[in-house]
Amino acid sequence: MNIPLIELTTQHQQLRSEINAAIQGVLDRGDFILGKDVSKLEEEFAAYCGVKYAIGVDSGLSALELSLRALEIGPGHEVIVPAHTFTATAAAVTFTGATPVFVDVDPETWTIDVEKVEEAITPRTRAILPVHLYGLPADMHMILGVAEKYNLAVVEDACQAHGARYKGSRVGSFGNAAGFSFYPTKNLGGCGDAGMVTTNDEKVAETIRALRNCGQRAKNIHELHPFNHRLDSLQAAILRVKLNHLDTWIEARRRLASVYNKLLSNTPVITPVELPGYQHVYHLYVIRAQNRDALQAHLKDRGIGTAIHYPSPVHLQPFYSNGVDRHGQYPISEKICNEILSLPMYPEMTEEQVEVVASEIMNLVETVP
């Protein structure tokens, strides 16, 4: 049995008629950039997240960058980010001219270690950028408490966590702003790059609308930095169709994750946690295994797709290490990156397929002393 890490074809086949009709609507109107579907998606996604404003952009990275810029973060400033995340989190800070300051992650949740955040604050710190990693919310209550104490902004990296909840509220509604990615493999994914900012701050929303569209608040009046980070109407039209199905897909992911958790509970691998008050949406189902590389090779030999998200913490990436040996700076992140393995996870996956994957994992770990 071949079981891919992720499979998008089935989902698109199931939605073919809806998606085709949505695309045809854009073609008939000809409003390809910031058209009707962009405005509608912004309204619908804001309502879904429980915020006042949503602003469509061309990627999750742009959503984070423009959020920071709208909060007037730039050269000479520092922004605290977790060491274990995708590099785009830190890149958003770098693009503004500010400096990302890394902190280690919690060994249980693998999200930013809030106790380490306060230790990293300096007079140049202007914001905290927590990541809702793999679909699990960061500890926003504690993060917001530290931010209030030191008068810092909070920008949520919600690029992997569409629909996730923390103490009853959806992520993207806690910070000064939040960035979402609609990359095709995300829980809510387009057919190309796309992103969204959510915020309850009218000034932030207005600034991002101008920044994304060549700095224009009014046509041909370029008041702000002239970026081009607009959302295509075709992507928005597709995403509007998919948004209607997102909660159903989240339920499927959570059901499949519960099967994984049960079957792997008596094995040496570490399964993801979901603390009280947190709702994980399992963009990725990630385990930890001391024999990770052997396990990945074993699953590959049996036609089971896996991946490593992410093989290196950001501080060890060549761009951010600057030629300096930084090994040992953030030991939890480094240990996690040596052990994590993403298993197949997508809403159309069957419980029988989960059982096959879990069985192969158990077969290997039983043979390892």
Side-chain angles (χ1 to χ4, degrees):
M1 179 184 291
N2 288 319
I3 304 176
L5 175 69
I6 186 170
E7 198 272 310
L8 299 174
T9 304
T10 301
Q11 183 181 105
H12 290 149
Q13 288 176 340
Q14 292 171 348
L15 301 178
R16 181 187 298 271
S17 60
E18 292 180 77
I19 289 175
N20 286 349
I23 291 172
Q24 191 60 52
V26 177
L27 296 176
D28 291 344
R29 288 190 304 274
D31 57 346
F32 296 108
I33 304 293
L34 298 181
K36 174 184 175 182
D37 280 301
V38 173
S39 299
K40 288 293 186 180
L41 177 64
E42 290 173 338
E43 294 173 9
E44 292 158 5
F45 196 71
Y48 180 82
C49 293
V51 298
K52 294 179 180 178
Y53 310 103
I55 308 96
V57 293
D58 58 353
S59 71
L61 174 52
S62 295
L64 295 174
E65 178 194 354
L66 296 187
S67 295
L68 293 168
R69 288 184 179 277
L71 293 164
E72 300 182 349
I73 292 167
H77 298 156
E78 294 176 350
V79 177
I80 296 173
V81 301
H84 178 45
T85 182
F86 184 52
T87 303
T89 307
V93 179
T94 303
F95 286 2
T96 69
T99 300
V101 174
F102 301 109
V103 298
D104 217 339
V105 295
D106 182 271
E108 184 178 19
T109 65
W110 316 337
T111 58
I112 194 166
D113 188 335
V114 182
E115 294 184 3
K116 299 288 196 305
V117 170
E118 195 161 5
E119 299 172 7
I121 293 171
T122 75
R124 295 181 295 278
T125 307
R126 292 295 182 272
I128 306 170
L129 211 173
V131 179
H132 305 310
L133 191 70
Y134 307 144
L136 178 68
D139 188 346
M140 293 308 300
H141 176 74
M142 295 296 292
I143 291 166
L144 292 172
V146 173
E148 182 178 8
K149 180 179 178 180
Y150 292 94
N151 193 30
L152 303 176
V154 175
V155 175
E156 300 171 65
D157 183 339
C159 290
Q160 302 182 4
H162 318 68
R165 294 181 184 270
Y166 174 82
K167 300 188 183 301
S169 297
R170 293 198 195 274
V171 299
S173 65
F174 294 96
N176 300 81
F180 289 83
S181 167
F182 299 133
Y183 186 79
T185 58
K186 298 299 170 69
N187 290 17
L188 179 61
C191 294
D193 272 323
M196 187 76 75
V197 176
T198 56
T199 183
N200 286 309
D201 188 318
E202 182 178 10
K203 182 180 177 182
V204 168
E206 178 191 359
T207 301
I208 292 172
R209 287 194 193 100
L211 286 171
R212 71 175 176 182
N213 192 23
C214 297
Q216 301 175 94
R217 286 196 172 98
K219 189 173 179 61
N220 294 322
I221 306 298
H222 304 270
E223 300 178 51
L224 302 178
H225 196 300
F227 294 103
N228 180 7
H229 290 309
R230 301 173 299 202
L231 176 60
D232 293 346
S233 299
L234 285 170
Q235 295 301 334
I238 294 167
L239 289 163
R240 290 186 66 203
V241 170
K242 290 190 170 188
L243 181 58
N244 292 325
H245 301 271
L246 179 56
D247 283 343
T248 299
W249 294 337
I250 288 172
E251 290 175 10
R253 288 175 179 272
R254 289 177 54 78
R255 184 185 71 253
L256 296 169
S258 70
V259 177
Y260 268 131
N261 290 343
K262 181 180 179 179
L263 294 174
L264 297 175
S265 61
N266 294 318
T267 71
V269 304
I270 299 172
T271 55
V273 301
E274 183 180 63
L275 303 178
Y278 295 67
Q279 186 191 60
H280 203 315
V281 293
Y282 297 100
H283 164 58
L284 297 168
Y285 185 87
V286 181
I287 62 170
R288 289 174 60 184
Q290 292 188 355
N291 62 332
R292 189 267 310 280
D293 293 345
L295 178 56
Q296 185 175 36
H298 172 80
L299 294 175
K300 181 180 180 181
D301 287 345
R302 282 147 183 81
I304 296 171
T306 62
I308 301 171
H309 299 89
Y310 301 94
S312 172
V314 186
H315 69 283
L316 297 182
Q317 292 289 345
F319 181 83
Y320 286 106
S321 64
N322 295 316
V324 177
D325 184 1
R326 299 184 183 275
H327 285 87
Q329 279 192 310
Y330 307 104
I332 302 300
S333 295
E334 292 176 29
K335 180 175 176 59
I336 286 171
C337 288
N338 289 328
E339 296 177 351
I340 49 175
L341 187 66
S342 300
L343 301 182
M345 170 60 74
Y346 44 95
E348 298 76 23
M349 190 178 181
T350 67
E351 292 187 14
E352 290 74 20
Q353 288 175 310
V354 172
E355 291 168 0
V356 170
V357 177
S359 176
E360 290 297 344
I361 292 172
M362 289 185 284
N363 288 341
L364 179 66
V365 296
E366 287 175 359
T367 65
V368 177

